[in-house]
Amino acid sequence: MVRIFRIFKHILKGYALWFWYYLYKPYRGKKKTEAKRRIEICEKCEYFDSHFRMCNLCGCFMDIKSKSADNEDCLAGKW
């Protein structure tokens, strides 16, 4: 039950930061290179589902989570 709550919390936090990414232009500009670096790491990871572009470990959509460069960490410890 705790794992489900943690996954749900990560998903909600990812969506909130994704909205902030698109609403606040200076933040978006600074984070693009970090997001690109992270998604490149994710695409090589064994937990990455390329069909849904989703992490099978945490349940997050990686195109969204990779843009939340301030507060999110990879659960596999890769970034």
Side-chain angles (χ1 to χ4, degrees), residues 6-59:
R6 186 175 358 138
I7 290 171
F8 187 68
K9 181 182 94 173
H10 279 286
I11 291 170
L12 287 178
K13 193 175 192 182
Y15 276 111
L17 290 170
W18 179 71
F19 284 123
W20 182 245
Y21 177 86
Y22 281 101
L23 292 176
Y24 189 55
K25 194 172 184 174
Y27 176 82
R28 180 176 57 228
K30 291 182 354 183
K31 302 306 175 187
K32 278 189 176 185
T33 56
E34 178 65 13
K36 183 179 178 183
R37 183 187 73 83
R38 288 179 173 199
I39 200 66
E40 287 173 356
I41 293 170
C42 291
E43 288 172 343
K44 297 173 187 169
C45 181
E46 66 272 13
Y47 299 112
F48 185 72
D49 181 350
S50 61
H51 181 70
F52 292 107
R53 301 198 51 80
M54 179 179 176
C55 176
N56 290 326
L57 185 62
C58 69

Side-chain angles (χ1 to χ4, degrees), residues 53-67:
R53 301 198 51 80
M54 179 179 176
C55 176
N56 290 326
L57 185 62
C58 69
C60 294
F61 292 101
M62 298 317 298
D63 290 323
I64 295 169
K65 185 174 181 175
S66 67
K67 290 181 175 84

